[in-house]
Amino acid sequence: MTQQNDLMTREEVLSVLDIKPATLYAYVSRGLIRARPHEDGRKSLYLRRDVERLATRKRGRAPTGAVAESTMRFGDPVLHSAITQITPHGPRYRNRLAIDLASGGASFESVVHLLMTGIWQDSIPEWPMQETPADVLRFLSTYDGEVASADIGNLLGMVPFALAMHGRGARELADGTAVQAARAMLHCMAGCVGFIGPHRRFIAREAGESLAAHTLRAAGSGVTPARLRAMNAALVVLADNELAPATFSARVAASTNADLFGCVAAAIGSHIGFTTGTSTEKIETLLLCEPFDALDSRVGRVREYGASLLGFNHPLYPGGDARADLMMQIAGELMNETDDAAIDETLRTNTRLMLDFLGRMRTEVNAHAGLATGLVALSRALGLPDGTSTALWIIGRSAGWVAHVMEQRTQAFMLRPRAKYGFGGPVSAQAVQPLQAG
């Protein structure tokens, strides 16, 4: 999300660029500087990276260090990747638009294969069975009945490390078994959704079960064709979004030759940061929550915290996030299902109130729902327990993290930027005094 320190006032922009207001407005109208509404609704703020880019052009070519520093913000590309391209219609996975794959009924398994190998196979309904190691099951059993919805991200973060134990991580590196390791990890994570489902424990995969079906069953949901389509679509659009902070973390770990499990664990640690993956939890507790007939009383929260806290108006998708739109569309379609006994009139009413509210936020407040909001809306429509959205995001995005780890390994260099030390000057030898005893 766009943070306050990534924005500049009009006066700051005019000073940095040494221009007049008319010139600034011309830059904005030409798309050279992007504007964001001020919270008071009367003024505008301007994206710092756009201003810095123009300032660099005015001064001539910037030093390499300055360019590198600016790209490490939410800005320009810094790594070559052939996995995902960001487009106005959402991410494109190896030249296939994610929302097209999702709405076309592609299985998550096929999309994982595409991301990892670059090969499309539309006939992958499920993966071969792989048993979760007994020591991992023993470890997970210690949390039976003890995992709160807010802790599911932390539990999933421990799964990769548990799977790496007893030499399995070293064997993944030595034997080149990343694909098999990724499949085992994803189904283990799906089983962990059972900790926030009605059984409150790990739910093992059944023979012939797809990851979408496994996840639904672990969450305590019925497995119907419509629910399977919805779950597959969610996992597919969640699978990757280029160099998000967690993905970059996975690539940094991969560049040090960490095993696949360690790389995914690093990514999960970044993903569940307060400003990223945990936005689903905040939406569940602060916005799309009971009572649903009081949603209008939360318009102020969207106005004040929509971008910074709740994931509205993602800077990569200023016209709206097509992934969120698709999930909200699917949520609405689920309400028209007549053969799903789990969808009672209360759920239908609440879901329609929620979707109507989000639609009005777009038109009345110019607040476009982001991925987290769309994901929570779909989870609500499916009647899934709180915390499931966080788990789905981690499970789905793990596919992209694995793909980026595999790609980073082929590039064979360490990601190690240097810091620009900015406090005081260099310490001279004369300034260093020996420590006194005591």
Side-chain angles (χ1 to χ4, degrees):
M1 301 303 99
T2 305
Q3 303 298 319
Q4 194 64 34
N5 58 3
D6 293 327
L7 300 170
M8 302 177 69
T9 65
R10 187 186 77 152
E11 291 70 24
E12 289 173 332
V13 176
L14 298 180
S15 175
V16 168
L17 297 179
D18 192 22
I19 57 175
K20 296 180 179 179
T23 306
L24 172 59
Y25 300 143
Y27 285 160
V28 172
S29 65
R30 290 161 56 193
L32 297 175
I33 296 179
R34 285 166 287 179
R36 295 287 184 267
H38 193 280
E39 60 183 15
D40 66 8
R42 296 190 301 272
K43 297 181 291 187
S44 293
L45 297 171
Y46 305 90
L47 265 67
R48 183 180 300 275
R49 69 175 184 274
D50 292 348
V51 176
E52 290 176 345
R53 187 180 296 115
L54 276 178
T56 298
R57 291 180 185 175
K58 289 168 68 72
R59 293 191 300 265
R61 183 177 177 85
T64 303
V67 174
E69 183 178 1
S70 66
T71 59
M72 291 299 287
R73 298 187 181 194
F74 203 126
D76 297 327
V78 295
L79 285 175
H80 173 79
S81 177
I83 297 173
T84 297
Q85 175 191 11
I86 298 297
T87 80
H89 305 291
R92 187 187 297 274
Y93 306 152
R94 298 194 185 273
N95 212 31
R96 293 173 183 263
L97 201 60
I99 58 170
D100 288 348
L101 291 169
S103 58
S107 72
F108 181 61
E109 284 80 355
S110 290
V111 171
V112 174
H113 191 76
L114 172 68
L115 288 169
M116 290 194 298
T117 68
I119 300 170
W120 175 251
Q121 291 184 325
D122 58 6
S123 58
I124 306 178
E126 71 276 333
W127 291 320
M129 283 293 292
Q130 289 179 264
E131 298 294 335
T132 301
D135 62 291
V136 176
L137 292 176
R138 287 194 300 272
F139 165 71
L140 292 173
S141 69
T142 63
Y143 290 96
D144 286 356
E146 299 293 332
V147 179
S149 61
D151 284 330
I152 187 63
N154 294 319
L155 180 70
L156 292 178
M158 292 188 281
V159 166
F161 283 132
L163 286 169
M165 296 287 284
H166 299 288
R168 289 183 291 262
R171 285 196 296 275
E172 181 275 320
L173 275 173
D175 299 340
T177 56
V179 172
Q180 294 89 330
R183 292 173 175 177
M185 181 165 50
L186 286 167
H187 268 293
C188 187
M189 289 180 177
C192 287
V193 175
F195 283 101
I196 53 175
H199 299 290
R200 310 292 293 169
R201 59 175 175 79
F202 182 83
I203 301 297
R205 179 192 178 193
E206 294 181 349
E209 196 169 42
S210 68
L211 195 133
H214 184 193
T215 305
L216 282 169
R217 186 170 59 84
S221 169
V223 182
T224 66
R227 286 170 174 265
L228 276 174
R229 286 194 299 272
M231 181 59 71
N232 257 313
L235 292 170
V236 167
V237 298
L238 290 166
D240 195 43
N241 199 35
E242 195 221 51
L243 286 183
T247 307
F248 190 67
S249 298
R251 293 191 73 124
V252 170
S255 77
T256 69
N257 293 322
D259 63 61
L260 183 70
F261 304 114
C263 295
V264 173
I268 295 174
S270 296
H271 177 77
I272 60 177
F274 186 78
T275 59
T276 51
T278 59
S279 55
T280 49
E281 180 192 346
K282 293 189 281 285
I283 292 165
E284 288 173 343
T285 57
L286 297 175
L287 188 65
L288 303 183
C289 53
E290 295 280 3
F292 286 94
D293 57 6
L295 284 169
D296 284 348
S297 67
R298 300 164 198 161
V299 173
R301 296 179 188 175
V302 177
R303 289 184 185 276
E304 188 169 0
Y305 305 112
S308 62
L309 193 67
L310 303 173
F312 284 76
N313 294 349
H314 194 293
L316 287 181
Y317 307 108
D321 193 327
R323 301 169 298 170
D325 293 343
L326 178 61
M327 285 192 278
M328 290 187 291
Q329 175 190 326
I330 293 171
E333 293 169 353
L334 279 171
M335 295 305 100
N336 297 324
E337 291 290 321
T338 58
D339 59 349
D340 192 334
I343 303 178
D344 58 21
E345 284 308 309
T346 299
L347 180 59
R348 293 182 200 277
T349 299
N350 289 344
T351 300
R352 287 167 179 155
L353 285 171
M354 176 178 61
L355 296 176
D356 177 68
F357 171 75
L358 293 174
R360 287 189 291 108
M361 291 303 93
R362 179 191 293 259
T363 57
E364 297 173 12
V365 187
N366 195 31
H368 300 266
L371 183 63
T373 305
L375 180 55
V376 172
L378 182 55
S379 295
R380 291 281 191 234
L382 287 166
L384 302 179
D386 279 3
T388 307
S389 295
T390 299
L392 292 180
W393 201 338
I394 292 173
I395 294 168
R397 188 56 56 85
S398 290
W401 294 333
V402 170
H404 280 274
V405 168
M406 295 170 71
E407 183 180 66
Q408 186 63 42
R409 287 173 174 177
T410 68
Q411 296 181 358
F413 63 85
M414 182 181 291
L415 286 168
R416 204 294 191 189
R418 291 291 310 279
K420 183 174 70 175
Y421 183 68
F423 181 77
V427 179
S428 65
Q430 291 80 8
V432 178
Q433 301 295 325
L435 294 175
Q436 299 298 317

